[in-house]
Amino acid sequence: MKFLPASDSERKQMLAAIGVSSIDDLFASVPPAVRGKPDLPAPLSEIEVRRFLGGLASRNANARDTAFFLGAGVYNHYVSSIADQMLYRAEWLTAYTPYQPEVSQGTLQSIFEFQTHICLLTGLEVANASLYEGASALVEALLMADRLVKGRRRAVLSAGIHPEYRETARTYFTNLGLEIVEVPLSAAGVTDPAALAAAIDATTFAVAVQSPNFYGLVEDWRVASEAARTSGALSIAVVAEAVSLALLSPPGAGGADIACGEAQSLGVPMHNGGPLLGFLSCKTDHQRQIPGRLVGQTRDAEGRRAFCLTLSTREQHIRREKATSNICTNQGLMALASNIHMSLLGKEGLREVALQSHAKAEYLKREIAKVPGYRIPYGGPTFNEFLVEVEGDGAVDAADLLDRLARRRILGGVPLSRYDRADRRRFVVAATELNTRAEMDVFVAALAAEAASAGHTGA
Amino acid sequence: MKFLPASDSERKQMLAAIGVSSIDDLFASVPPAVRGKPDLPAPLSEIEVRRFLGGLASRNANARDTAFFLGAGVYNHYVSSIADQMLYRAEWLTAYTPYQPEVSQGTLQSIFEFQTHICLLTGLEVANASLYEGASALVEALLMADRLVKGRRRAVLSAGIHPEYRETARTYFTNLGLEIVEVPLSAAGVTDPAALAAAIDATTFAVAVQSPNFYGLVEDWRVASEAARTSGALSIAVVAEAVSLALLSPPGAGGADIACGEAQSLGVPMHNGGPLLGFLSCKTDHQRQIPGRLVGQTRDAEGRRAFCLTLSTREQHIRREKATSNICTNQGLMALASNIHMSLLGKEGLREVALQSHAKAEYLKREIAKVPGYRIPYGGPTFNEFLVEVEGDGAVDAADLLDRLARRRILGGVPLSRYDRADRRRFVVAATELNTRAEMDVFVAALAAEAASAGHTGA
Amino acid sequence: MSSTDVFETPVSDRDRLHPEPRVEPLIFERSGQGKRGYSLPPLDVPDTVAIPKDLLRTEIEGETQVSEVEIARHFTRLSRLNFSIDQGLYPLGSCTMKHNPRVNEEMARLPGFAAAHPLAPEEASQGSLELAWRLERALAELTGLARVTLQPSAGAQGELAGILMVRKALEKTGRPRTTVLIPDSAHGTNPASAHFAGYKVRELKSNPKGTVDLAALETAMTEDVAALMLTVPNTLGVFEDRILDIARIVHAKGGYLYCDGANFNAFVGVAKPGRMGVDVMHMNLHKTFSTPHGGGGPGSGPVAVTESLAPFLPRPTVERRSDGRFVLDFDRPDSIGRLRTFLGNYGMFVRALSYIASYGNRIGEVAENAVVNANYIRAGLAGVYHLKYDAPSMHEVVFSDKSQVDRGVSNMDIAKRLMDYGFHPPTVSFPLIVHGALMIEPTETEGKPGLDAFIHAMREIARECAEDPDIVRKAPHTTPVRRVDEVGAARNLVLRWRPGAP
Amino acid sequence: MSSTDVFETPVSDRDRLHPEPRVEPLIFERSGQGKRGYSLPPLDVPDTVAIPKDLLRTEIEGETQVSEVEIARHFTRLSRLNFSIDQGLYPLGSCTMKHNPRVNEEMARLPGFAAAHPLAPEEASQGSLELAWRLERALAELTGLARVTLQPSAGAQGELAGILMVRKALEKTGRPRTTVLIPDSAHGTNPASAHFAGYKVRELKSNPKGTVDLAALETAMTEDVAALMLTVPNTLGVFEDRILDIARIVHAKGGYLYCDGANFNAFVGVAKPGRMGVDVMHMNLHKTFSTPHGGGGPGSGPVAVTESLAPFLPRPTVERRSDGRFVLDFDRPDSIGRLRTFLGNYGMFVRALSYIASYGNRIGEVAENAVVNANYIRAGLAGVYHLKYDAPSMHEVVFSDKSQVDRGVSNMDIAKRLMDYGFHPPTVSFPLIVHGALMIEPTETEGKPGLDAFIHAMREIARECAEDPDIVRKAPHTTPVRRVDEVGAARNLVLRWRPGAP
Ligand SMILES: Cc1ncc(COP(=O)(O)O)c(C=O)c1O
Ligand SMILES: Cc1ncc(COP(=O)(O)O)c(C=O)c1O
């Protein structure tokens, strides 16, 4: 077997040294009744593995061979060759959680740098070493708030938060006796300040709003943070498209107590939805309730600057059921990828990527708005994503429309019907710095053609 | 500029330290008359570079998206993922010739292992650290023989040697006053022993034969080595498909004095013809005339086994015009790739690859032979490559036929007309372990269809 | 300005005097005006910012300005400060640090996977859906259970998913019950996950063999207990030989048997949890199935369940329709919901399936060799280090520092000293029931020469503890940094670099 | 058998006592029955061997039997014994060890290049032909010359190609002439290449400035001289400020001016050899244009020539037809022929064009920064190390050990000592006209901090030479192996491992 280094004679010598005559003797404690060989095919050679998995891969449309406008939580941004090639290095790829700092300074310093980048982007003071992804990051933020604001049971969530994030929060909460109140969006498609204030009461420990929200509209962090402050709750800023942090006023500046969400778009490929990169940052006062790993700076026995995992008394391996979270393995390699990416782009690059993504989306939005048969339901400011509505009697289902475009190698957006069967005429369209004007024009033309065949005629 | 690490202020400080006021002052010795800015486009971003070069790449048929039967000196063999991923490591990729052994043991030991593999495969005693590729390797072997057999001027080459190798030899020789005699092949398509003996005289210093020869036919090394020995010349075994060394009787066993050629098929991708991997091995008596780098085993000051470049007194940087060769930079990274590949496959794998390549070619040869309109001109044993002749009045040009197949994503072979305009009906077909029976059957069916449309009808 | 002011003296010579840079500046400390490591194409659409000023920021203060050159240097040099599997034995107990086959990395990077989007139309995603479906089938076959969810991001989330399914199943019967039983040898994520599933945790004392005390279980296993979370083999590397009795006791009271499958590496392909009476089990693809640990993830923690728990699986499931098409099924009314976005850590699915396909029906050799290796180390160190529980070892063996403490040397000191011998230390201070634990898991991908070198080093260290304990107490001596002050780090928290900070 | 016989003691403890393995066994020493690192698909055609027995071998005696795990370990560990650009300054004079942009690696690995075959039909190769054509155009523009051949595999082969073209051109005029003039500062490949082109080599003494002595050139430049091979800037890093006079003298006698462009990095994008009167010039893509050095190649040595030498270019050339299609032109009756198979080291073309496209019309900044860096080092070490020729430096500066020899320290000792400070040594013992040379080329991709650290180290070493020369003479002290016995290696030749050898 190509991944097994023991030679026949070595194995014999080892069994002899152990003092058994066969491998089977070592499995004596496994009752015969529970044994069983798996009914799997014979081993595949590397060539066959490439054919098998390569064959499957070739049956997926991907961002490199389509005109690509999908977002809704996962974005197709530029990643430099150097980032991915660095990940091949065994020292990064095949190490584990840096429990032993003397032989893990590489990983530790990289995480420390990642924590710093996240703080700079969110405008908050402390960030952890990563969480799984955006939805569970929101849950961790909510549970953190619950610990910080003792004796309250209610979390208020804007309906503008990604539906999968909200569903995840419900999954966790229902079993913890915590209550979730969802505040519907205003006619403008953003969190309704009045409704939000109304939903908050003395039992509320957290108020969470996402910006840009699921419809792509930019929200004002201050709405949530002010509402929260008056009631003694904590405000949580949720970010699903982290590139926006380089252009939009950051959560910290907007008074958020905790920022959390998804940092995939900062250097992590889409990976068909995973591995992604959850992040969480907060104020210094709250750092002892932060979930997950934290890396701190310290010194070695000879006084050199060194780094190590710290505040581990918050964690499951020490606090068991009293831990701030059950998370153990997190998203280390993705945090590294993101650190490389953010460090490479830096001050100017992160901003330029955000500006270009925004400009491309604005162009596309304007062009689509011109096409008879479609409208942009909300006029508010968007970052790089916006909602499109198919006009008319509803004869045209957005999902079917998008399926037809997909056959022409245009992935034109995510239909809202995926999350609400009744919402059949709207879809979310995203653009990034990787979209060219040419492919956007192709997309717009295809939409026009669809509308025409559906009976719409230009004014 | 993204590859320039100096900040503006650092550059200023540096100019100040140097004591000049501007960069231009440092170019004072470059006459104004010779200055000139290049008329090139503005810098491309990484995204644009990917589009530009990716676009060019997409306009080449390649072995992954075609039924592939090209050989003639470059072969499409299996290479494991681990080999290529290793080459990304900066320690391998961004180091240079290991002039300083204390900080180059990795490269040095790898070359020492490569030299050993080549010796084991060729059955000879000494091998060098690599040469550019097969053709120049043959030249180096011939020049080496010329130095070893003093006062002779003539080299006898079998016409079965790759035409580009022979052309390269002529390029070098004409200017050195050395003579090349080419011995035509027999009616059986192999080197004619009688003709060979006849061509050799007292002025002959080398006799070179290739096996498998350019038509894919397996030659007997003993023919050349016996002919050479009787006349005091040295015999050179030329190998263009090194995988064959794992199955065929090696040059050393056949009495060859020198073995040389192309080792691309042992772990190096085809790279559109380069970088490839030239090799040369010989007997111990001749090692002081070997061209190129050599790594030897020695000890460090504390007695540890260590490796270093050795016998450098043969080389240009010391011997200048009296050097055994002008080669300096060789094919280091490819030698590493090949060392990884040979080490991974090893005793069984190298042989299994050879056996499978042979079996696939035998199947394909038999199937093509059955198709009316084509014949296999030579009946002798072949390894993984063979000649096919289009029958009939010559109405069908093999090159045109292969162009038509290429449009159907079948790269069916190399037409001999590429090397001899008159040779319009024959082409060389290669198969390797990567060809499936299915794609070979598709190829054969396509040949049959071509013949049918050209008016041939099955018996 | 005199040139000597300019030629700055770098970091201390002590550190220069070493071919490896021991101290690499933070990337932020490399920043400088006018440096840039990237470039973008010129904007091909009107340059507009259609967002109100008060919602914008003007700059990202403190962010880097560096060139690609410095990125290459920085991350290459940093990486060299790490120890990794590809350098040598990494016997971190319970973490299964095995070789990561490189073809897996190649497959996961295929654009059809790496550049695919989870919300693309199903028609445009048949390849990725089929892969998920096939991986589920393979894991079901290996566990002997009916269905599998691939959604959980890592083992801990798998535990939560599993317990939530149990809870949902019990709720159906009227009451979710209050308590989850967990042996004192369990991994910390077990109680933490049970807690976040809304259960009280009741700890089960292990018997002198280190396994479940059946009598204690009988009494603890009341109608209030939703499940027993059992690690098989347990964290001592001991297989519960009474597993069938344990299952009987748990089931008799209407409870569920949860298997923490992080140690599946010990018996994958040899035995099936389904036959042990296990109702629900999570696996760590990043352990048993060789997806790389990446310096701390990403992981992936699929959960296998019996037919009766299948209705409660997280949403969506991947189903194969009669016409062979693959679809996502959201319409699962009894589902616990979802634990994260999308399908899970998909890139890990690709790697795990690549691995399982490479072994096929010979995957049992993984467990066999893992167990041989652990027992070889046990034999080599028996008598040299104290073994609190001498029940037969499976894939790992847990020694302790008991024979060394009297020399003033702790398991942590021994761990640090191992670094000087060129090895990563074993897991220390876990499992909690072994004081001064040295938890050693070599995995199946270590050959005899590596094991011999490790055994030799451990024996040398034992000798040093007797003859010259200080060299062990002050270890490591040869690593990029010496012993790191972890207490100081927690006392005086510095969790980030700050603009303007030195 | 007692277990202690089995637990073998590994390589000496001195070597174990270091986190980096200092001695890695040969892969052949890892070999063992039953181990395998590969597998192939089952054969899907009849298993036949249709070759006579006497032409077959039965086995490859001594070849390896190892697992993939050991390959990963072996080559990862071996690599860590190397120093490389990405770890630190690698100021190897004349070799231009600059940063290798990573996008180049990605591009070269695209299947359309890496899995393309050089003999595929032209129609199926339009992309690769166009790339070669565009690279030729870019190099022609940068050199100010008419045509370029990409065929030569490295600089030395480029030199041979260039001189052969000169020879062919002269033959046309009746006689090829007998001699090539080469300054005593030239790289060894120059005379060697001239020799293999069939010419006698006549050495030109340099003047006290280290440049060409015009008077000497006047006398040496007879009608027997085919060409002057001139390195610009020369190997002292000095630009021939009389280059136009030199060209005039050479041309006046009907000779050709050959430019060794290995140092093109010093003026690429700033000046054009075509305007200097250069007739033929080779370039090293692996130096000026950043294709990686790969531990000793592959390189690529394109040659640019004037219109009048174009007919003699190696065969085939890549031409663009009026209809925009790209074709290979074999029909070149005056061509010197070919120097190797196919088009050349194509993978390097991809990388070089990627690099040139990334800089575009700003490529002059490469030369500017390379020259600034070299002069900064010169300023920092002036007075500390002896500078035999103090003419203005371009991209490199050549010091010597003259001020240190009296302390019994040689340039080689200084080179070795630099390793202890974390740097690769400069080039030593070349150019030959500087005894005890320390030839330093930082390239443009080194920032001030790295240069400062290097200058500091060189100054420290100078201090050590004065105060404690032994520490320098016995250096290096901190490398994986100590000073290596090169004399012993040549005296007692061991050039390969042998089956059964320990
Ligand atoms: C026994 C055991 N259970 C559970 C876990 C948790 O798995 P993960 O780290 O993937 O969340 C681990 C690994 O850390 C473990 O060793
Ligand atoms: C000045 C000079 N000329 C020629 C060469 C030869 O180039 P290559 O090593 O690519 O053959 C070199 C590099 O080694 C060089 O430095």
Side-chain angles (χ1 to χ4, degrees), chain A residues 2 5 7 45 81 85 91, chain D residues 35 39 68 80 102 106:
Chain A
K2 42 181 187 287
S7 71
S45 64
S81 302
Q85 285 177 43
E91 293 87 340
Chain D
K35 297 200 271 185
S39 62
E68 177 178 310
R80 290 180 59 97
R102 284 302 182 281
E106 180 187 333

Side-chain angles (χ1 to χ4, degrees), chain A residues 96 328-329, chain C residues 94 154-156 159 187 189 231 260 262 282 284 286-287:
Chain A
Y96 197 24
C328 178
T329 297
Chain C
S94 208
E159 296 167 15
H187 190 267
T189 50
T231 306
D260 177 333
H282 88 264
N284 292 29
H286 49 299
K287 295 178 179 178

Side-chain angles (χ1 to χ4, degrees), chain A residues 138 141-142 155-161 166 181-183 191 196 200 204-211 219 221 224-225 228 233-238 258 260:
Chain A
L138 170 57
L142 289 166
V156 173
L157 270 54
S158 158
I161 294 174
R166 285 179 282 135
V181 176
E182 288 193 9
V183 178
T191 309
L196 193 70
I200 300 172
T204 305
F205 62 85
V207 182
V209 170
Q210 175 178 322
S211 178
E219 302 247 6
W221 298 125
S225 43
L234 297 180
S235 73
I236 298 174
V238 183
I258 302 172
C260 65

Side-chain angles (χ1 to χ4, degrees), chain D residues 143-145 232 243 247 251 257-259 272-281 304-306:
Chain D
T143 54
L145 291 163
V232 183
I243 182 74
H251 291 151
L257 180 55
Y258 181 99
C259 174
K272 296 186 175 184
R275 300 187 182 175
M276 302 175 190
V278 168
D279 301 293
V280 47
M281 168 190 185
V305 296
T306 56

